[in-house]
Amino acid sequence: MRDLSNDRGLLAINSATVKAWSLAQLVDGCARAGISAIAPWRDIVQAHGVEKAGKLIRDAGLAVSCYCRGGMFTAADDAGRRAALDDNRRAIDEAAAIGARSLVILGGGLPPGSKNLAGAHRQVREGIAALLPYARAANVPLAIEPLHPMTAADRCCVNTLAHANDICDEMGDGVGIALDVYHVWWDPDLPRQIARAGKRILTYHVCDWLVPTRDLVFDRGMPGDGVIDLRAIRSMVEATGYNGHIDVEIFSTQDWWKREPDEVLRICLERHQTVV
Ligand code: ZN
């Protein structure tokens, strides 16, 4: 097995993991910890001011592994769908301003009151197709993140890597995959679909699945504390040629969000070097 202890440069900290921090605090914290990449959410970038955020990140020499997040294309009417596209164009501008390597895209769930899942799938495809020329012009690839099926109704109706790969097949250049182990680890088709995704994997997110899980969204585990075979999935991802960052993304109201963020970063780095 390859030596994983020397690849600290591959670690990216997702801002959701240290939710208490502002962008400036995240940049400083990564400098203190010797971490060279971040994956910010829009809230902290907007709070800092987008242009200033780009300068802060560039001056610190940090890479931006991905920008979280856009998408949410589904809506009950045309006005809602247009508003979603407008917001996604702003997200692309922000991603370009901070030098993000991709914009993570969630499809969106069922519109309020709807039971039309096939219609939601169609709206996602139409939304991505409508956004794509703008994303290509800005040189910001769209990274479709398949989410666990438990989120199909309220956040994302693209629930398997196979479905995300199908959309990529249809869309062509400028679209790829955000692969998050929390959402796909259970899938018996995962090895085949990772191989099929190949060069389309744009960003790779890790955490762990705790047993028992106290909250299906906000009780993600630190890598190594749960049941996901992180080394096995990483091997499959790297076998496709992926050599980008490994982004630790942990939503954890009851545990990690209560801890001192510097301690969280230290443990992320230690786990990155031992179990991821
Ligand atoms: Zn993710």
Side-chain angles (χ1 to χ4, degrees), residues 14 41 66 68-69 104 106 145-147 178-183 203-207 220 247-251:
N14 190 294
W41 281 62
C66 65
C68 300
R69 62 176 163 61
V104 173
L106 303 194
E145 183 167 0
L147 254 59
L179 193 71
D180 185 326
V181 296
Y182 196 70
H183 295 299
T203 180
Y204 178 50
H205 299 178
V206 296
C207 63
R220 290 184 177 211
D247 175 352
V248 182
E249 184 182 44
I250 300 173
F251 305 92

Side-chain angles (χ1 to χ4, degrees), residues 183-201:
H183 295 299
V184 299
W185 71 276
W186 55 272
D187 185 350
D189 204 26
L190 188 63
R192 209 172 64 86
Q193 294 299 332
I194 288 176
R196 178 183 166 205
K199 298 284 183 221
R200 289 171 177 156
I201 298 175

